[in-house]
Amino acid sequence: MQIAINALASELRRLKAAGVKHVPVSEASLSALRHAVAGRRVEVSVADRAMVAAPVSPEPSRPAPASPPLRPAAVVEPRKVTAVQLPSAPAFTLPEGDKAHRWSALRELVLNDPHCRAQVRAGKKVVLGVGSLDAKIMFVGEAPGAEEEIQGEPFVGPAGQLLTKMIQGMGVKRGDVYIGNIMNWRPQLPLVAGQEPVGNRPPTEEEMTYCLPFLRAQVDIVNPAILVALGKTAAHGLLGFGTFEVLGEVRGKWHEFARRPLMVTYHPSYILRNPSNRAKRMIWEDFLQVMTRVGLPISEKQQAYFLDK
Ligand code: URA
């Protein structure tokens, strides 16, 4: 429950920073919160839950999948979302061998890691990156969402389909790059009995710190020429929590992670929320910088993508 309350508090802080002055909260929800803090069984309005999970925001963040039909009220199992204490970041050594051998060993390790497994619900999957082990470009996203935890593959939901199109726009195939996430599980959300969680929440610093060695190991194995952080959470994970306030400070610029050049850009879900050519062009200009740096050919047509107003 602590995670849910922290997620709510951070969402409210974000809304405040975005200039939102009032957030309607029903008496029922206030009372649910009071009970939640007291650790009792609570009643939560699904409408309020959806509002908290998917607020309107100018900051790029991940979209909520289609909501299930609203029901008047549902019972939250009190300890389903628990602040599971994570140990400090795991230390491990991968076997010697070629990339495929080392990657398979890493995959086994991550998919069977007891702390990762404890974070996923029955029937859902821990997710490791996918793609070419010889990729020159490695994309790093935030965390698996609803679709990803079912399929066990990063970026296969709506944002992932858009990312795939953007990669194709660079003139390469999805399978030619490597795609990973800061997190290996979908951060837990409050559960309403009998319903799938709605939306996603950004991982906590503790969760990201736990998973970061797994991402470093993937960077080590693949040895990409360039990394691309997709969105604020990925950028915080790679640049360090607290290194910037708003993504605009670091986006479109070169940074460094694990001694490799790192480009920071928006998460593709930003375009899902704001499908204007202006937004697309901002991300595309970051992609053009990446293409130039890895030496991909850029046609006049590619150069001019999304310039139309
Ligand atoms: N968004 C992410 O950041 N990662 C995924 O794997 C899917 C959506």
Side-chain angles (χ1 to χ4, degrees), residues 216-247:
R216 278 187 186 279
Q218 291 169 84
V219 174
D220 239 40
I221 294 169
V222 178
N223 192 20
I226 279 180
L227 291 150
V228 183
L230 300 167
K232 188 173 178 180
T233 305
H236 267 147
L238 300 182
L239 295 176
F241 243 78
T243 48
F244 64 91
E245 281 286 316
V246 290
L247 194 65

Side-chain angles (χ1 to χ4, degrees), residues 62 141-145 148 153-156 159-160 181 230 267:
R62 298 196 291 147
E142 176 176 320
E148 289 78 18
E153 181 169 333
F155 282 101
V156 288
N181 275 318
L230 300 167
H267 194 280

